[in-house]
Structure formats: C-alpha cells, structure tokens
Amino acid sequence: NSEDVIVKENTHRRDTALVVRVHPEDIGKVIGRNGRTAKALRTVVSAIAGRSVRVDLIEADEVR
C-alpha cells in the first residue's frame, strides 16, 4: 500500500524526527524480522544525516 506511506519531519530543539506512517498491513514489512529492516533504515538515515535524526515508524490509523 505505497499510497498510504506518509513521511513528516518534526524538528525539535535537540534533534529531528522523521515520522513514517504506513498502512497497518505493511508495518510488519517495514519493521522486518526482529526489527532488521527498521534498524537498517535508521542506520542509513543516521549515516546520511548524522546522529541528530531519528526515525519513528507508526501505523497509519494511529492518532496523528
């Protein structure tokens, strides 16, 4: 459900958070087995942007 993917940037005093919202059926695919895919995504983002960026994964139907 690629049309349900939304990425928003929340800037805070100390860091920046990328909030990735996905369809509830796809959250398992994004997180991956034992969190490997999510960890890899966070590793790539921190390598590109530095330690001040974090990635939060949220199901699309959770409170916004």
Side-chain angles (χ1 to χ4, degrees):
N1 297 309
S2 60
E3 63 277 354
D4 292 336
V5 176
I6 300 170
V7 179
K8 290 189 177 182
E9 178 183 16
N10 292 336
T11 305
H12 303 286
R13 202 178 291 169
R14 293 187 201 172
D15 64 355
T16 300
L18 295 178
V19 180
V20 181
R21 295 183 190 279
V22 297
H23 192 275
E25 294 176 0
D26 296 333
I27 194 73
K29 294 175 185 174
V30 174
I31 293 172
R33 218 174 250 171
N34 294 324
R36 290 182 186 155
T37 305
K39 183 178 178 182
L41 177 62
R42 289 179 174 124
T43 300
V44 169
V45 169
S46 68
I48 293 171
R51 292 280 180 200
S52 62
V53 176
R54 70 175 201 271
V55 178
D56 297 330
L57 303 171
I58 300 175
E59 290 182 18
D61 61 343
E62 288 187 16
V63 178
R64 293 175 191 233

